[in-house]
Amino acid sequence: MQRIVDNALAVTKESVKTITYESLNNIARCINGVSALLLTVLPGKANILEGLHGWELRPTLRGPRLPRWMHNGVSSFNHFIHELSVDSDTSSLEYSSGEDSDGALPASPSSQSSRFSWASVSASSESHWTEWITFVLWWLIFPLRILLWVPQYFVRLFFKRSSRPPMSPRRNQHSARPRITISKTKSSKDHDVPNRATDRRRGVVEDLHLAIEICIEAIFDFFHKATHLLLSPSEAFAIMSSWFSSRRHSPNENNDNGSDDETVQTATLGDPDPSVKERPTRLYNSMNTDTRTCQDVITELGYPYEAIRVVTSDGYVLLLERIPRRDAKKAVFLQHGILDSSMGWVSNGVVGSPAFAAYDQGYDVFLGNFRGLVSRDHVNKNISSKEYWRYSVNEHGTEDIPAMIEKIHEIKTSELKLCQPNIDEEINQEEPYKLCAICHSLGGAAILMYVITRKIKEKPHRLSRLILLSPAGFHEDSSLGFTIVEYLFLFVSPVLIRIVPAFYIPTRFFRMLLNKLARDFHNYPALGGLVQTLMSYVVGGDSSNWVGVLGLPHYNMNDMPAVSFRVAQHLAQIKHTGKFRMFDYGSRAANMEAYGSPEPIDLGESYRFIDVPVDLVAGKKDKVIRPTMVRKHYKVMRDAEVDVSYNEFEYAHLDFTFSHREELLTYVMSRLLLVELTPAQQRQTSQKGMKLKKKEA
């Protein structure tokens, strides 16, 4: 009888799984099909979806794609869970800075052997599925545990009150002390870099598949155990009797057993408390989202890494990241644009990222990060949201970049002095190193503001060359969508700024949902193509891979880059006036206090202060900052007798950072090579080489 019931439950369970899975999958296929139909009637999709394949509506008689734990239409869920548990034992990975104790730097990885794709995500992101599954199952069976625990509790309470012998202090002390189990942890050298050839991140649809599977397993497991107890009275009686037999054990024995079983899981002695460090990581991994940082990407590819904390004069804490070559006299500073971070400069791996290309060419690489993360890092931990987001592009150019450039200067001069004790700090007002800046979009406008304001204040800017990729600054030639936003900000800003201090996804849940939806857009190409097309319409038809960018790790459930209301308002002012100028505070008195004049400083008219070569790069397909606006930069600079060059590529706005473009890297590296060392620096370099040869001899 028991076998018949088991077979019936097994068949019913598999039938329910198949029906629910097929229903959910058909809904997803229907959404994907409707998206494909909508795409067929939308204009301009051919240019927008260039390079994106699979969005077309292609009728097929094939069945739906099965999840990873379904084989030949039959669930192997238990085997799937077993594989997850095995993976979780070996999935932890610790990253080191990549530097030896003696200060020597590791060799640069081969660009061909370290190919890295952002369509891939760490396999370690699934390493802690078992904890998430256990958590869900625990809550599903929680009512049953309560029903079983209540009578047992009252029975034990009755017998404890009737007979409770006194405990000696020594026994009490011994039983209260937990037994510590020390486990030897592997170092980071014992782990291999995770293989990212396939993206194992789950989307929302896959999460629903998994949740349904878990619920069905839990429900049928409950019914299986219940029927087993009903059909086996003897076993049920044995279980009930074992509950009552617990009173035969003395309290001392219970305490001994409790002290033996109670363990505290720790790491190697001397290490920090693992419960503090690992709990957030396990939580994020259990949600199966990509939470890697720029540090993770750099160290996984075998490059050295250094994180530098920079504090601005107004108290904002910035993260300046570095791929260090401490003895290099050539340094490059890369600054991202709006709604971006340093992740953009390493997002294409070794062969397609400007940061790695510059390092391989012998540069000391610094990656800047503007203020404006959701985490709101500030020296004043109690700063309000309204006060934190009260900044414009002015603060990017006059606070953030100066703080980071000065920190770079401090680091480079001190390190070069250690490498070469006889070095002169400044020879003929020249720095002992050459620093170039590569900036994209808003970063280009901020670096121009930085150079001009430093020259006006008669302070050194310490830069040798500027390479600006589709720089912001002039925006009168833009799409209808940007024009509508412009007037919205100009007329509604006094009221809206009190309600919306910044633009970002406010809660961790919705940030996690965005990360997972980005994976669904990849799994269902027609849906992704529709979202890509609609987002492109919003920004004027720009064909950048907007859907792919949404899946990048800096848009994760823990943190994300944001845009303050004043930054958006500042850009609207620039577009409305047709001039590249600083923020207008709205009154003559406020402007007089900030600038010493009733009107904001016109940076375009101040291009004469730029005393370093500038290379401007525009994208012919860029609809966010059109080539005409970059050419306006070029024309104004030429009129101001600035040493400036101009070039165009067949790129959209995000292709400068998020796409693998070898011709762009070749061009950027060729412009960097135009910066030569001074004769004094060349003489110092040759002297260092002669010393090394003598040592080798």
Side-chain angles (χ1 to χ4, degrees), residues 303-318:
Y303 286 85
Y305 175 85
E306 182 179 346
I308 304 166
R309 186 175 184 264
V310 179
V311 180
T312 64
S313 60
D314 53 354
Y316 287 78
V317 179
L318 310 178

Side-chain angles (χ1 to χ4, degrees), residues 309-376:
R309 186 175 184 264
V310 179
V311 180
T312 64
S313 60
D314 53 354
Y316 287 78
V317 179
L318 310 178
L319 176 62
L320 178 64
E321 300 177 280
R322 183 187 185 190
I323 311 178
R325 282 191 186 274
R326 304 190 188 284
D327 58 346
K329 292 182 177 295
K330 303 181 298 181
V332 61
F333 171 71
L334 296 100
Q335 183 57 57
H336 62 78
I338 197 168
L339 280 175
D340 195 5
S341 70
S342 57
M343 184 73 72
W345 301 111
V346 299
S347 60
N348 294 304
V350 175
V351 297
S353 299
F356 297 133
Y359 181 86
D360 292 340
Q361 293 295 324
Y363 286 84
D364 194 354
V365 180
F366 293 87
L367 308 172
N369 287 280
F370 281 142
R371 66 182 69 186
L373 291 176
V374 175
S375 54
R376 302 209 307 258

